[in-house]
C-alpha cells in the first residue's frame, strides 16, 4: 500500500502516540499486590512530584509495544514480558493542534529492583495507598480499568472551556 493511500491529509485530526505502563507485583514481605508508579522528578516538565505510570512517546520507527518496552527499561531498568494492551485513550487538545493517543499496557513481574532516572523515581506502592498520594488526576480511573477484568477499555478526553479535560470511558453510560 502506498503512503499517499493512507488518507492522512492536513484536513484530518492528527495525534502523537504515547505509551503508559502499569506493572504489578506481590510484595514478598506483606503479600499485598503493588503497582509500580513513577514519582516525577522535581525538574520534570509534566507532572513534577506527582505519581503516574511509566511510559512516554512512541519514537519514529517503533510500534507501540516496542515503545512501551523501551520506556519501561529507560524509566525503571526493567524488562517484563508479556506486556498486554489494556486500553486506548484519545486526548483532544486545542482545535487544529495534534492530539494524543495513549496506549495503556499492564504487565506483572517478580523483579522489583528498579533504577531511578532523570525522569523520576519508580516506586512500588500498595494499591490501597494511592488515595493519600499526589497522583496525576486520571490515574485512579486508568489504573482501575487497566488492572480490571474487562479485556480492553477505550476513553476520550475532550477539552473544556476552563482548560480542563472531560474524561469519557467506553464502559460508562453516556448522559
Amino acid at each position: 500500500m502506498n503512503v499517499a493511500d493512507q488518507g492522512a491529509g492536513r484536513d484530518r485530526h492528527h495525534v502523537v502516540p504515547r505509551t503508559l505502563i502499569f506493572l504489578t507485583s506481590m510484595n514478598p514481605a506483606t503479600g499485598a499486590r503493588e503497582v509500580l508508579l513513577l514519582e516525577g522528578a522535581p525538574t520534570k516538565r509534566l507532572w513534577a512530584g506527582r505519581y503516574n505510570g511509566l511510559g512516554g512517546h512512541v519514537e519514529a520507527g517503533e510500534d507501540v509495544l516496542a515503545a512501551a518496552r523501551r520506556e519501561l527499561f529507560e524509566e525503571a531498568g526493567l524488562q517484563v514480558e508479556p506486556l498486554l494492551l489494556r486500553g486506548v485513550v484519545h486526548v483532544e487538545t486545542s482545535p487544529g493542534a495534534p492530539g494524543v493517543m495513549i496506549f495503556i499496557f499492564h504487565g506483572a513481574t517478580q523483579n522489583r529492583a528498579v533504577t531511578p532516572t532523570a525522569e523520576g523515581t519508580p516506586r512500588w506502592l500498595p494499591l490501597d495507598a494511592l488515595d493519600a498520594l499526589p497522583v496525576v488526576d486520571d490515574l485512579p480511573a486508568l489504573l482501575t480499568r487497566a488492572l480490571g477484568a474487562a479485556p480492553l477499555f477505550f476513553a476520550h478526553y475532550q477539552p473544556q472551556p476552563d482548560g480542563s479535560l472531560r474524561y469519557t470511558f467506553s464502559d460508562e453510560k453516556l448522559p
Side-chain angles (χ1 to χ4, degrees), residues 70-153:
R70 176 185 52 75
E71 288 286 350
L72 187 58
F73 186 75
E74 288 177 2
E75 293 186 355
L78 292 173
Q79 295 178 320
V80 174
E81 292 294 335
L83 291 178
L84 303 174
L85 182 65
R86 299 293 292 133
V88 179
V89 176
H90 175 211
V91 182
E92 283 187 52
T93 57
S94 58
V100 176
M101 190 73 67
I102 307 169
F103 297 89
I104 300 165
F105 292 88
H106 172 250
T109 185
Q110 294 179 7
N111 181 2
R112 296 171 56 88
V114 293
T115 306
T117 69
E119 292 282 325
T121 303
R123 299 190 191 280
W124 288 104
L125 301 163
L127 291 170
D128 61 2
L130 301 183
D131 290 341
L133 297 173
V135 298
V136 173
D137 62 350
D138 64 343
L139 182 113
L142 294 176
L143 190 56
T144 297
R145 288 167 173 85
L147 303 183
L152 193 61
F153 72 90

Side-chain angles (χ1 to χ4, degrees), residues 50-74:
R50 298 175 79 188
Y51 288 88
N52 199 2
L54 290 83
H57 289 84
V58 177
E59 301 295 340
E62 286 183 314
D63 62 58
V64 295
L65 180 57
R69 289 174 177 147
R70 176 185 52 75
E71 288 286 350
L72 187 58
F73 186 75
E74 288 177 2

